[in-house]
Amino acid sequence: DRFPNGPTTSFVKRLERAWHDKYHNPLRTRKYKTQVNARRHGYTPRLQLFKKIEPIFSGGKNEYTWGNGCFGYHLVQNARLSVIREEMPPGTSEVLHMHNNSQQFFYVLKGELVFEINGQKIVVLSNCGIQIPPGIPHLVRNEGEVDADFLVISQPPSHGDRVDISTS
């Protein structure tokens, strides 16, 4: 019943239960004896915090165009995260820009992309990615012969955070 050089098993179990009640299960505490009382005090079970979970598809109302024939599809768009799938035909490019607050991660699904970051040319092949911290001027272009299909993950979302940089 005792651990070697330690407390009794029942004491450890009581400590674990108290910790669990305090941090994981508010309904077991005296304050929330019922679900109704818990909701009155603003406790919402974690699974109810999210909308209905279902698959996300590209296209439809979340589709937009940019640049010269490029397409984008918002897959996730909320206050803390943006996930966009974009397609760039061969020979297309975006303008040099930066984001003050957003970090971005680009992951190439198909084709290859050329990034220009601080004057350095970086080629990112299919099934590879690159992270760009906030405040770093960058642009992306497709110098390949096939359409480039890639994901852009921004945290926090980069919309409204973009600063175009003139190259005159």
Side-chain angles (χ1 to χ4, degrees), residues 23-154:
Y23 294 105
H24 288 288
N25 192 355
L27 292 178
R28 291 188 61 101
T29 64
R30 291 182 184 172
K31 185 176 180 183
Y32 304 126
K33 289 188 177 178
T34 66
Q35 289 275 352
V36 173
N37 199 16
R39 288 198 182 96
R40 279 191 198 130
H41 287 89
Y43 169 73
T44 306
R46 289 178 186 252
L47 292 178
Q48 293 178 8
L49 292 176
F50 300 100
K51 296 180 191 174
K52 181 179 177 186
I53 298 175
E54 52 191 30
I56 299 170
F57 300 99
S58 299
K61 65 179 181 172
N62 298 325
E63 182 178 335
Y64 64 95
T65 58
W66 62 275
N68 189 14
C70 301
F71 292 93
Y73 311 92
H74 288 283
L75 302 174
V76 175
Q77 189 176 20
N78 62 44
R80 291 187 270 166
L81 178 68
S82 170
V83 179
I84 300 171
R85 179 177 159 229
E86 292 190 344
E87 296 176 12
M88 290 180 76
T92 56
S93 177
E94 66 175 347
V95 298
L96 185 66
H97 68 281
M98 67 177 220
H99 303 279
N100 289 321
N101 301 313
S102 299
Q103 65 175 327
Q104 291 188 305
F105 181 74
F106 293 79
Y107 186 81
V108 180
L109 300 169
K110 182 180 84 171
E112 64 182 53
L113 293 173
V114 176
F115 288 84
E116 194 173 301
I117 302 171
N118 288 333
Q120 182 183 6
K121 188 175 176 179
I122 301 170
V123 178
V124 180
L125 303 175
S126 180
N127 295 318
C128 294
I130 188 168
Q131 179 182 6
I132 302 175
I136 304 294
H138 62 281
L139 68 79
V140 61
R141 65 177 159 258
N142 182 358
E143 295 179 354
E145 297 179 9
V146 298
D147 288 356
D149 192 6
F150 59 100
L151 296 175
V152 183
I153 302 161
S154 304

Side-chain angles (χ1 to χ4, degrees), residues 9-26:
T9 311
S10 60
F11 177 73
V12 171
K13 285 183 181 178
R14 281 185 302 193
L15 279 178
E16 288 174 350
R17 172 63 68 197
W19 186 87
H20 180 77
D21 287 351
K22 183 173 182 182
Y23 294 105
H24 288 288
N25 192 355

